[in-house]
Coordinates of all heavy atoms in Angstrom, one line a residue:
M655 N 28.0 -5.7 -6.0 CA 27.7 -5.5 -7.4 C 26.2 -5.0 -7.5 O 25.3 -5.7 -7.0 CB 28.0 -6.7 -8.1 CG 27.6 -6.6 -9.6 SD 28.2 -8.0 -10.6 CE 27.1 -7.8 -12.0
V656 N 26.0 -4.0 -8.3 CA 24.7 -3.5 -8.5 C 24.1 -4.2 -9.7 O 24.7 -4.0 -10.8 CB 24.6 -2.0 -8.6 CG1 23.2 -1.5 -8.9 CG2 25.2 -1.3 -7.4
E657 N 23.0 -4.9 -9.6 CA 22.4 -5.5 -10.7 C 21.4 -4.5 -11.4 O 21.0 -3.6 -10.8 CB 21.6 -6.8 -10.2 CG 20.7 -6.4 -9.1 CD 20.0 -7.7 -8.5 OE1 19.6 -8.5 -9.3 OE2 20.0 -7.8 -7.3
D658 N 21.2 -4.8 -12.6 CA 20.3 -4.1 -13.4 C 18.9 -4.5 -13.0 O 18.4 -5.7 -13.2 CB 20.5 -4.3 -14.8 CG 20.7 -2.9 -15.6 OD1 20.8 -2.0 -14.9 OD2 20.7 -3.0 -16.8
R659 N 18.1 -3.7 -12.4 CA 16.8 -4.1 -12.0 C 15.7 -3.3 -12.8 O 15.8 -2.1 -13.0 CB 16.6 -3.9 -10.5 CG 17.2 -5.1 -9.8 CD 17.7 -4.6 -8.5 NE 16.5 -4.4 -7.6 CZ 16.6 -3.9 -6.4 NH1 17.9 -3.6 -6.0 NH2 15.6 -3.7 -5.7
L660 N 14.6 -4.1 -13.2 CA 13.6 -3.4 -14.1 C 12.3 -3.4 -13.3 O 12.1 -4.1 -12.4 CB 13.4 -4.3 -15.4 CG 14.7 -4.4 -16.2 CD1 14.4 -5.2 -17.5 CD2 15.1 -3.0 -16.8
C661 N 11.5 -2.5 -13.8 CA 10.2 -2.4 -13.2 C 9.5 -3.9 -13.1 O 9.6 -4.6 -14.1 CB 9.4 -1.4 -14.1 SG 7.7 -1.2 -13.6
S662 N 8.8 -4.1 -12.1 CA 8.2 -5.4 -12.0 C 6.9 -5.6 -12.7 O 6.3 -6.6 -12.6 CB 8.0 -5.8 -10.5 OG 7.3 -4.8 -9.8
K663 N 6.3 -4.5 -13.2 CA 5.2 -4.7 -14.0 C 5.5 -5.4 -15.3 O 6.5 -5.2 -15.9 CB 4.6 -3.2 -14.5 CG 4.2 -2.4 -13.4 CD 2.8 -2.8 -13.0 CE 2.3 -1.9 -11.9 NZ 1.0 -2.3 -11.3
V664 N 4.7 -6.4 -15.6 CA 5.1 -7.4 -16.6 C 5.3 -6.9 -18.0 O 6.3 -7.2 -18.5 CB 4.0 -8.5 -16.7 CG1 4.5 -9.7 -17.4 CG2 3.3 -8.9 -15.4
T665 N 4.6 -6.0 -18.3 CA 4.7 -5.4 -19.6 C 5.7 -4.2 -19.7 O 5.9 -3.6 -20.8 CB 3.3 -4.9 -20.1 OG1 2.8 -4.0 -19.3 CG2 2.4 -6.0 -20.3
C666 N 6.3 -3.9 -18.6 CA 7.2 -2.7 -18.6 C 8.6 -3.0 -18.5 O 9.1 -4.0 -17.8 CB 6.9 -1.9 -17.3 SG 7.7 -0.5 -17.1
K667 N 9.4 -2.4 -19.4 CA 10.8 -2.7 -19.4 C 11.7 -1.5 -18.9 O 12.8 -1.5 -19.2 CB 11.1 -3.0 -20.9 CG 10.4 -4.2 -21.5 CD 10.9 -5.6 -20.9 CE 10.3 -6.8 -21.6 NZ 9.6 -7.6 -20.6
R668 N 11.1 -0.6 -18.3 CA 11.8 0.6 -17.8 C 12.6 0.2 -16.5 O 12.3 -0.7 -15.8 CB 10.9 1.6 -17.4 CG 10.2 2.3 -18.6 CD 9.2 3.5 -18.2 NE 8.4 3.9 -19.2 CZ 7.2 3.4 -19.4 NH1 6.8 2.3 -18.7 NH2 6.5 3.8 -20.4
P669 N 13.7 0.9 -16.4 CA 14.6 0.6 -15.1 C 13.8 1.0 -13.9 O 13.0 2.0 -13.9 CB 15.8 1.4 -15.4 CG 15.4 2.5 -16.5 CD 14.4 1.8 -17.3
A670 N 14.0 0.2 -12.9 CA 13.3 0.5 -11.6 C 14.0 1.6 -10.9 O 15.3 1.6 -10.8 CB 13.2 -0.8 -10.8
H671 N 13.4 2.6 -10.4 CA 13.9 3.5 -9.5 C 13.3 3.6 -8.1 O 13.8 4.3 -7.2 CB 13.7 5.0 -10.2 CG 14.6 5.2 -11.4 ND1 15.9 5.0 -11.5 CD2 14.1 5.3 -12.6 CE1 16.3 5.2 -12.7 NE2 15.3 5.4 -13.5
F672 N 12.3 2.8 -8.0 CA 11.5 2.9 -6.5 C 11.2 1.4 -6.2 O 11.2 0.5 -7.0 CB 10.2 3.7 -6.7 CG 10.5 5.1 -7.2 CD1 10.4 5.3 -8.5 CD2 10.8 6.0 -6.4 CE1 10.6 6.7 -9.0 CE2 11.0 7.3 -6.8 CZ 10.9 7.7 -8.1
T673 N 11.1 1.3 -4.8 CA 10.7 -0.1 -4.3 C 9.4 0.1 -3.6 O 9.3 1.1 -2.7 CB 11.8 -0.7 -3.5 OG1 13.0 -0.8 -4.3 CG2 11.3 -1.9 -2.8
L674 N 8.4 -0.7 -3.9 CA 7.2 -0.6 -3.3 C 7.1 -1.8 -2.2 O 7.4 -2.9 -2.6 CB 6.1 -0.8 -4.3 CG 4.6 -1.1 -3.9 CD1 4.0 0.0 -3.1 CD2 3.7 -1.6 -5.0
T675 N 6.6 -1.5 -1.0 CA 6.5 -2.5 -0.1 C 5.1 -2.4 0.5 O 4.6 -1.4 0.5 CB 7.6 -2.4 1.0 OG1 7.6 -1.1 1.6 CG2 8.9 -2.8 0.5
Y676 N 4.7 -3.5 1.0 CA 3.3 -3.6 1.6 C 3.4 -3.8 3.1 O 4.2 -4.7 3.6 CB 2.6 -4.8 1.0 CG 2.2 -4.6 -0.5 CD1 3.0 -5.0 -1.4 CD2 0.9 -4.1 -0.8 CE1 2.7 -4.8 -2.8 CE2 0.5 -3.9 -2.1 CZ 1.5 -4.3 -3.1 OH 1.1 -4.1 -4.4
D677 N 2.6 -3.0 3.8 CA 2.4 -3.4 5.3 C 1.0 -3.9 5.4 O 0.1 -3.1 5.4 CB 2.7 -2.2 6.1 CG 2.3 -2.4 7.6 OD1 1.9 -3.5 7.9 OD2 2.6 -1.5 8.3
Y678 N 0.9 -5.2 5.4 CA -0.4 -5.8 5.4 C -1.2 -5.6 6.7 O -2.4 -5.5 6.7 CB -0.4 -7.3 5.1 CG 0.1 -7.7 3.8 CD1 1.4 -7.9 3.4 CD2 -0.9 -7.6 2.7 CE1 1.8 -8.2 2.1 CE2 -0.4 -7.9 1.3 CZ 0.9 -8.1 1.2 OH 1.3 -8.4 -0.2
D679 N -0.5 -5.4 7.8 CA -1.2 -5.2 9.0 C -1.8 -3.8 9.0 O -2.9 -3.6 9.6 CB -0.2 -5.3 10.2 CG 0.3 -6.7 10.4 OD1 -0.5 -7.7 10.0 OD2 1.5 -7.0 10.9
G680 N -1.0 -2.8 8.6 CA -1.5 -1.5 8.5 C -2.2 -1.1 7.2 O -2.6 0.1 7.2
C681 N -2.3 -2.0 6.3 CA -3.0 -1.6 5.0 C -2.3 -0.4 4.4 O -2.9 0.5 4.1 CB -4.5 -1.4 5.1 SG -5.4 -2.9 5.5
V682 N -1.0 -0.4 4.4 CA -0.3 0.8 3.8 C 0.7 0.1 2.8 O 1.3 -0.8 2.9 CB 0.6 1.4 4.9 CG1 1.6 2.4 4.3 CG2 -0.3 2.1 6.0
M683 N 0.8 0.9 1.6 CA 1.8 0.6 0.7 C 2.8 1.8 0.7 O 2.4 2.9 0.6 CB 1.1 0.6 -0.8 CG 0.0 -0.4 -0.8 SD -1.1 -0.1 -2.3 CE -0.1 -0.8 -3.5
A684 N 4.0 1.4 0.7 CA 5.1 2.4 0.8 C 6.0 2.4 -0.3 O 6.5 1.3 -0.8 CB 6.0 2.3 2.1
I685 N 6.1 3.6 -1.0 CA 7.0 3.7 -2.1 C 8.2 4.5 -1.7 O 8.1 5.7 -1.2 CB 6.3 4.4 -3.2 CG1 5.2 3.5 -3.8 CG2 7.3 4.6 -4.5 CD1 4.3 4.3 -4.8
G686 N 9.4 4.0 -1.8 CA 10.6 4.7 -1.5 C 11.6 4.4 -2.5 O 11.4 3.8 -3.6
P687 N 12.8 5.0 -2.4 CA 14.0 4.8 -3.2 C 14.2 3.4 -3.4 O 13.9 2.5 -2.5 CB 15.1 5.6 -2.6 CG 14.5 6.4 -1.6 CD 13.2 5.8 -1.2
L688 N 14.7 3.0 -4.6 CA 15.1 1.6 -4.8 C 15.9 1.0 -3.7 O 16.9 1.5 -3.3 CB 15.9 1.5 -6.2 CG 16.0 0.1 -6.7 CD1 14.7 -0.5 -7.2 CD2 17.0 0.2 -7.9
S689 N 15.4 -0.1 -3.2 CA 16.2 -0.7 -2.2 C 17.5 -1.2 -2.6 O 17.6 -1.7 -3.7 CB 15.4 -1.8 -1.5 OG 15.1 -2.8 -2.4
P690 N 18.5 -1.1 -1.9 CA 19.9 -1.5 -2.3 C 20.0 -3.0 -2.6 O 20.8 -3.4 -3.5 CB 20.8 -1.1 -1.1 CG 20.0 -0.8 0.0 CD 18.5 -0.5 -0.5
V691 N 19.1 -3.9 -1.9 CA 19.1 -5.3 -2.2 C 17.7 -5.6 -2.6 O 16.8 -5.0 -2.2 CB 19.6 -6.1 -1.0 CG1 21.0 -6.0 -0.8 CG2 18.8 -5.8 0.2
S692 N 17.6 -6.6 -3.4 CA 16.2 -6.9 -3.9 C 15.5 -7.5 -2.7 O 15.9 -8.4 -2.0 CB 16.4 -8.0 -4.9 OG 15.2 -8.1 -5.8
D693 N 14.4 -6.9 -2.4 CA 13.5 -7.2 -1.2 C 12.5 -8.2 -1.7 O 11.7 -8.0 -2.6 CB 12.8 -5.9 -0.8 CG 12.1 -6.2 0.5 OD1 11.8 -7.4 0.8 OD2 11.7 -5.2 1.2
P694 N 12.5 -9.5 -1.1 CA 11.5 -10.5 -1.5 C 10.1 -10.1 -1.3 O 9.2 -10.6 -1.9 CB 11.9 -11.7 -0.6 CG 12.7 -11.0 0.5 CD 13.4 -9.9 0.0
H695 N 9.9 -9.1 -0.4 CA 8.5 -8.6 -0.2 C 8.2 -7.4 -0.9 O 7.2 -6.7 -0.7 CB 8.3 -8.5 1.3 CG 8.6 -9.7 2.1 ND1 7.8 -10.9 1.9 CD2 9.5 -10.0 3.0 CE1 8.3 -11.8 2.8 NE2 9.3 -11.4 3.4
G696 N 9.2 -6.9 -1.6 CA 9.0 -5.7 -2.3 C 8.9 -5.7 -3.9 O 9.1 -6.8 -4.4
Y697 N 8.4 -4.7 -4.4 CA 8.3 -4.7 -6.0 C 9.0 -3.5 -6.5 O 8.7 -2.4 -6.0 CB 6.8 -4.6 -6.3 CG 6.0 -5.8 -5.9 CD1 5.4 -5.9 -4.6 CD2 5.8 -6.8 -6.7 CE1 4.7 -6.9 -4.2 CE2 5.1 -8.1 -6.3 CZ 4.5 -8.0 -5.0 OH 3.8 -9.1 -4.7
D698 N 9.9 -3.7 -7.4 CA 10.6 -2.6 -8.0 C 9.8 -2.0 -9.0 O 9.1 -2.6 -9.9 CB 11.9 -3.1 -8.6 CG 12.9 -3.6 -7.6 OD1 12.7 -3.2 -6.4 OD2 13.7 -4.5 -7.9
L699 N 9.7 -0.6 -9.0 CA 8.9 0.1 -10.0 C 9.7 1.2 -10.6 O 10.5 1.8 -10.0 CB 7.7 0.7 -9.2 CG 6.6 -0.2 -8.7 CD1 5.6 0.6 -7.9 CD2 6.0 -1.1 -9.8
C700 N 9.3 1.4 -11.9 CA 9.8 2.6 -12.6 C 9.1 3.8 -12.1 O 8.1 3.8 -11.5 CB 9.7 2.4 -14.1 SG 8.0 2.5 -14.7
E701 N 9.6 5.0 -12.6 CA 9.1 6.3 -12.1 C 7.5 6.4 -12.5 O 6.8 6.8 -11.7 CB 9.9 7.4 -12.7 CG 9.7 8.7 -12.1 CD 10.6 9.8 -12.6 OE1 11.5 9.4 -13.3 OE2 10.5 10.9 -12.1
L702 N 7.3 6.0 -13.8 CA 5.9 6.0 -14.2 C 5.0 5.2 -13.4 O 3.9 5.7 -12.8 CB 5.9 5.6 -15.6 CG 4.5 5.6 -16.3 CD1 4.1 7.1 -16.6 CD2 4.6 4.8 -17.6
H703 N 5.4 4.0 -13.1 CA 4.4 3.1 -12.4 C 4.4 3.5 -10.9 O 3.3 3.3 -10.3 CB 4.8 1.7 -12.5 CG 4.3 1.2 -13.9 ND1 5.2 0.7 -14.8 CD2 3.1 1.1 -14.5 CE1 4.6 0.4 -16.0 NE2 3.2 0.6 -15.7
A704 N 5.5 4.0 -10.4 CA 5.5 4.5 -9.0 C 4.5 5.6 -8.8 O 3.8 5.7 -7.8 CB 6.9 4.8 -8.5
E705 N 4.6 6.6 -9.8 CA 3.7 7.8 -9.7 C 2.2 7.4 -9.9 O 1.4 8.0 -9.3 CB 4.2 8.8 -10.7 CG 5.3 9.5 -10.2 CD 5.6 10.8 -11.1 OE1 4.7 11.6 -11.2 OE2 6.7 10.9 -11.6
N706 N 2.1 6.5 -10.8 CA 0.6 6.2 -11.2 C 0.0 5.1 -10.3 O -1.2 4.7 -10.5 CB 0.6 5.6 -12.6 CG 0.8 6.8 -13.6 OD1 0.8 8.0 -13.2 ND2 1.1 6.4 -14.8
L707 N 0.7 4.6 -9.4 CA 0.3 3.6 -8.4 C -1.1 4.1 -7.7 O -1.1 5.1 -7.2 CB 1.4 3.2 -7.4 CG 0.9 2.0 -6.5 CD1 1.2 0.7 -7.1 CD2 1.6 2.2 -5.2
K708 N -2.1 3.2 -7.7 CA -3.3 3.5 -7.0 C -3.5 2.3 -5.9 O -3.3 1.2 -6.1 CB -4.5 3.4 -7.9 CG -4.5 4.5 -9.0 CD -5.0 5.7 -8.4 CE -5.1 6.8 -9.5 NZ -3.9 7.7 -9.7
A709 N -3.7 2.9 -4.7 CA -3.9 1.9 -3.6 C -5.3 1.3 -3.8 O -6.2 1.9 -4.2 CB -3.9 2.6 -2.3
P710 N -5.3 -0.1 -3.4 CA -6.7 -0.7 -3.4 C -7.6 -0.1 -2.4 O -7.1 0.6 -1.4 CB -6.3 -2.1 -3.1 CG -4.9 -2.3 -3.1 CD -4.2 -0.9 -3.0
S711 N -8.8 -0.3 -2.5 CA -9.7 0.4 -1.5 C -9.4 -0.1 -0.1 O -9.1 -1.3 0.3 CB -11.2 -0.3 -1.8 OG -12.1 0.2 -0.9
G712 N -9.3 0.9 0.8 CA -9.0 0.6 2.2 C -7.6 0.7 2.5 O -7.1 0.7 3.6
W713 N -6.7 1.0 1.4 CA -5.3 0.9 1.7 C -4.9 2.5 1.5 O -5.6 3.2 0.8 CB -4.6 0.2 0.6 CG -4.6 -1.3 1.1 CD1 -5.7 -2.1 1.0 CD2 -3.5 -2.2 1.4 NE1 -5.3 -3.4 1.3 CE2 -4.0 -3.4 1.5 CE3 -2.1 -1.9 1.5 CZ2 -3.1 -4.5 1.9 CZ3 -1.3 -3.0 1.9 CH2 -1.8 -4.3 2.0
Q714 N -3.7 2.8 2.0 CA -3.1 4.2 1.8 C -1.8 4.0 1.3 O -1.2 2.9 1.4 CB -3.2 5.0 2.9 CG -2.6 4.5 4.2 CD -2.6 5.4 5.3 OE1 -2.8 6.7 5.2 NE2 -2.6 4.9 6.5
V715 N -1.4 5.0 0.5 CA 0.0 5.0 -0.1 C 0.9 6.0 0.6 O 0.5 7.2 0.8 CB -0.1 5.3 -1.6 CG1 1.3 5.3 -2.1 CG2 -1.0 4.3 -2.3
L716 N 2.0 5.5 1.1 CA 3.0 6.5 1.6 C 4.1 6.7 0.5 O 4.7 5.7 0.1 CB 3.6 6.0 3.0 CG 2.7 6.0 4.1 CD1 3.5 5.4 5.3 CD2 2.2 7.4 4.4
R717 N 4.4 7.9 0.2 CA 5.4 8.1 -0.8 C 6.6 8.9 -0.1 O 6.4 10.0 0.5 CB 4.8 8.9 -1.9 CG 3.8 8.3 -2.8 CD 3.2 9.2 -3.7 NE 2.0 8.6 -4.3 CZ 2.1 7.7 -5.4 NH1 3.2 7.5 -6.0 NH2 1.0 7.2 -5.9
H718 N 7.7 8.3 -0.2 CA 8.9 9.0 0.3 C 9.5 9.9 -0.8 O 9.1 9.8 -1.9 CB 10.0 7.9 0.7 CG 9.3 7.1 1.9 ND1 9.7 7.2 3.1 CD2 8.4 6.0 1.8 CE1 9.0 6.2 3.9 NE2 8.3 5.5 3.0
S719 N 10.5 10.6 -0.5 CA 11.2 11.3 -1.5 C 11.6 10.5 -2.5 O 11.9 9.3 -2.4 CB 12.4 12.1 -0.8 OG 13.2 11.3 -0.3
P720 N 11.8 11.0 -3.8 CA 11.7 12.4 -4.3 C 10.3 13.0 -4.5 O 10.2 13.9 -5.1 CB 12.6 12.4 -5.6 CG 12.2 11.1 -6.1 CD 12.1 10.2 -5.0
F721 N 9.3 12.4 -3.9 CA 8.0 12.9 -4.1 C 7.7 13.9 -3.0 O 6.8 13.8 -2.3 CB 6.9 11.8 -4.1 CG 7.0 10.8 -5.2 CD1 7.4 9.6 -5.1 CD2 6.6 11.2 -6.5 CE1 7.4 8.6 -6.2 CE2 6.6 10.4 -7.6 CZ 7.2 9.1 -7.5
A722 N 8.5 14.9 -2.8 CA 8.3 15.9 -1.9 C 8.0 15.5 -0.5 O 6.9 15.8 0.0 CB 7.2 16.9 -2.4
G723 N 8.9 14.7 0.1 CA 8.7 14.3 1.4 C 7.7 13.2 1.5 O 7.3 12.5 0.5
I724 N 7.2 12.9 2.6 CA 6.1 11.9 2.9 C 4.8 12.5 3.0 O 4.6 13.4 3.8 CB 6.4 11.1 4.2 CG1 7.9 10.5 4.0 CG2 5.5 10.0 4.4 CD1 8.2 9.7 5.2
D725 N 3.8 12.2 2.1 CA 2.5 12.6 2.4 C 1.6 11.4 2.1 O 1.9 10.4 1.5 CB 2.2 13.9 1.6 CG 2.4 13.7 0.1 OD1 2.2 12.5 -0.4 OD2 2.6 14.6 -0.5
E726 N 0.4 11.6 2.5 CA -0.5 10.5 2.3 C -1.6 10.8 1.2 O -2.2 11.9 1.3 CB -1.4 10.1 3.6 CG -0.3 9.8 4.8 CD -1.1 9.6 6.0 OE1 -2.4 9.5 6.0 OE2 -0.6 9.6 7.1
D727 N -1.7 10.0 0.2 CA -2.7 10.2 -0.7 C -4.2 10.0 -0.1 O -4.3 9.2 0.8 CB -2.5 9.1 -1.8 CG -1.5 9.5 -2.8 OD1 -0.8 10.4 -2.5 OD2 -1.4 8.8 -3.8
A728 N -5.0 10.7 -0.7 CA -6.5 10.5 -0.2 C -6.8 9.1 -0.6 O -6.3 8.6 -1.7 CB -7.3 11.5 -0.8
L729 N -7.7 8.5 0.2 CA -8.0 7.1 -0.2 C -8.8 7.2 -1.5 O -9.5 8.1 -1.9 CB -9.0 6.5 0.9 CG -8.3 6.2 2.2 CD1 -9.3 5.6 3.1 CD2 -7.2 5.2 1.9
D730 N -8.5 6.2 -2.3 CA -8.9 6.1 -3.7 C -9.8 5.0 -4.0 O -9.5 4.0 -4.5 CB -7.6 6.1 -4.7 CG -7.9 6.4 -6.0 OD1 -8.6 7.3 -6.2 OD2 -7.3 5.8 -6.8
A731 N -11.0 5.2 -3.4 CA -11.9 4.0 -3.4 C -12.7 4.0 -4.8 O -12.8 5.0 -5.4 CB -12.9 4.1 -2.2
Ligands
ZN2282 ZN1 7.0 0.4 -15.0

């Protein structure tokens, strides 16, 4: 059964379409399609917050489709 999942941003009530996961070893944040099951290490995000996500200093963001394949954002220090 598919549950209704919302963006994990506290003030946001939009439906989640993406899941953000952290790779702490590699300092990488990965945004991909909403994971089929709720990932305890992941954060569900709506389209707006997934697109606007900024990596902390020293981290990079990997975006999977539908953001035109995988590419790396420039570091956003
Ligand atoms: Zn949101």
Side-chain angles (χ1 to χ4, degrees):
M655 175 177 162
V656 179
E657 52 186 314
D658 234 11
R659 281 151 69 189
L660 299 177
C661 182
S662 57
K663 294 281 181 186
V664 197
T665 57
C666 183
K667 299 289 188 235
R668 295 181 187 85
H671 293 300
F672 302 93
T673 296
L674 166 69
T675 52
Y676 291 86
D677 176 355
Y678 290 97
D679 292 333
C681 288
V682 170
M683 304 163 79
I685 299 175
L688 190 66
S689 62
V691 292
S692 201
D693 184 343
H695 303 295
Y697 298 87
D698 296 336
L699 293 176
C700 67
E701 195 167 356
L702 181 73
H703 282 120
E705 281 192 54
N706 289 345
L707 184 82
K708 295 278 188 269
S711 179
W713 286 65
Q714 57 180 331
V715 180
L716 289 181
R717 294 173 192 274
H718 300 257
S719 62
F721 292 110
I724 300 175
D725 58 28
E726 299 177 14
D727 280 6
L729 284 183
D730 199 34

